[in-house]
Amino acid sequence: MMVTVGRVRHVMSVVGARPNFMKTVPVIAALKRRTDSVRHTLVHTGQHYDDVMSQIFLEELGVGAPDVMLSVGSASHAVQTARVMERIEPVMKELAPDLVLVPGDVNSTLAAALVASKLGIAVGHIEAGLRSFDRTMPEEVNRVLTDQISDLLFIHSPEARDNLLAEGVSPQRVHAVGNTMIDTLLAMRSRISGAHAAAQRGLEPRSYLVVTLHRPALVDGSLLADAVAALDDIAEDMPVVFPIHPRTEASMLSQGLSFTSPGMRLLEPLGYVEFLSLVQDAAGVLTDSGGMQEETTYLGIPCFTLRDNTERPVTCSIGTNVLLGLAPERIREVPELIGRARRGGDVPPGWDGVAAERLVDVLLESEVGGGPELASAIGDVLGDVSA
Ligand code: UD1
């Protein structure tokens, strides 16, 4: 099999769900800034499709419309992942990128990486190497598998390299570039600071708690009722601002749950700038999100994570994150914990606003194998599976 190896000429970035956008956008911007000899294609799988979950981010971050929209929508894990695979394969075959870039750990990430890898297209994974060591989390499965089939593993956290090496990944594939999500935060900092989202809602700075909860382990079952009751309790003493994820809203509705305390401010999901503005002025954050643990560490805001584990231990060791456990009753301790919490603190190396530049350095220096030539060579050897 004759396969040519060469420099990257066409990068395809694949995004699908809300947390993907801010990790990928600075890379696209840096790539376009640095060279016009590398073509770029943005594919949106449509895993998230409501404007508040998707469109608003693309507009605020200034990316414009994706080049390709796959519109897969919501479904079971198997169906959603399969739909992305089925719809993205012809796109990759037709456009023949020689590198596919995927961020994070959502179903779209794994689906796109798997298709690219089987077509012989190189895969770059942004935010590689994070591990919660909890295989009941769909994201953990997505991370482990995506890392195994990625050629370039871009890490932003000190323990990520150890995690990857322990899984047999060769060190040459691992590149410590830093945190591209923090690039976005820094690029948007003046807009975030100018948004005054708290004041606009009549909230005093440092007086309120911001809440985001959406993980299946917490919101899909009976723990949600305990969380709602505990949030209602603390809202008697401090305002609680809760932009609710559609999954959580649907589960509250189906379980017949609602908030009663006047201190509870239930909101629609917010755009990036407005949300980060609220976080920046908050007394603290209660969350089960991954990205929030990092953003609060960067901003120096106390963060309480309602999970038993975290794939981002650096946010606890040097940042402002405290693991409460998957224990909704502990929400009642949060007002008191805020008083004693670390505010400020350190920021891990490479969380400095120029991670995307380092990532693009690696991309431009990399030799990637084959791309379309390899895909066709694999086809010649294996035959078309449908034949
Ligand atoms: C997904 C990711 C999760 C990430 C989260 C951020 C996986 C396995 N999970 O979880 O890692 O933290 O995105 O939001 O990929 N829905 C809407 N409108 C939308 C999108 C979703 O109403 O635009 C509702 C639907 O009822 C859907 C549910 O939310 O069934 C869940 O959406 P889905 O994309 O399956 O997973 P998330 O919980 O959002």
Side-chain angles (χ1 to χ4, degrees), residues 165-185:
L165 299 187
E167 287 170 14
V169 167
S170 112
Q172 285 78 31
R173 285 161 58 200
V174 183
H175 303 274
V177 295
N179 194 330
T180 61
M181 192 178 65
I182 300 300
D183 288 6
T184 297
L185 180 54

Side-chain angles (χ1 to χ4, degrees), residues 19 47-50 53 74 77 106-107 139 214 245-247:
Q47 175 172 344
H48 283 173
Y49 44 87
D50 285 352
M53 298 298 286
S74 302
H77 285 273
V106 304
N107 288 342
E139 293 83 1
H214 75 283
H245 186 286
R247 173 190 281 277

Side-chain angles (χ1 to χ4, degrees), residues 143-150 153 164 167-169 173:
R143 287 182 205 116
V144 170
L145 298 178
T146 302
D147 284 339
Q148 280 297 327
I149 55 179
S150 292
L153 295 155
L164 291 167
E167 287 170 14
V169 167
R173 285 161 58 200

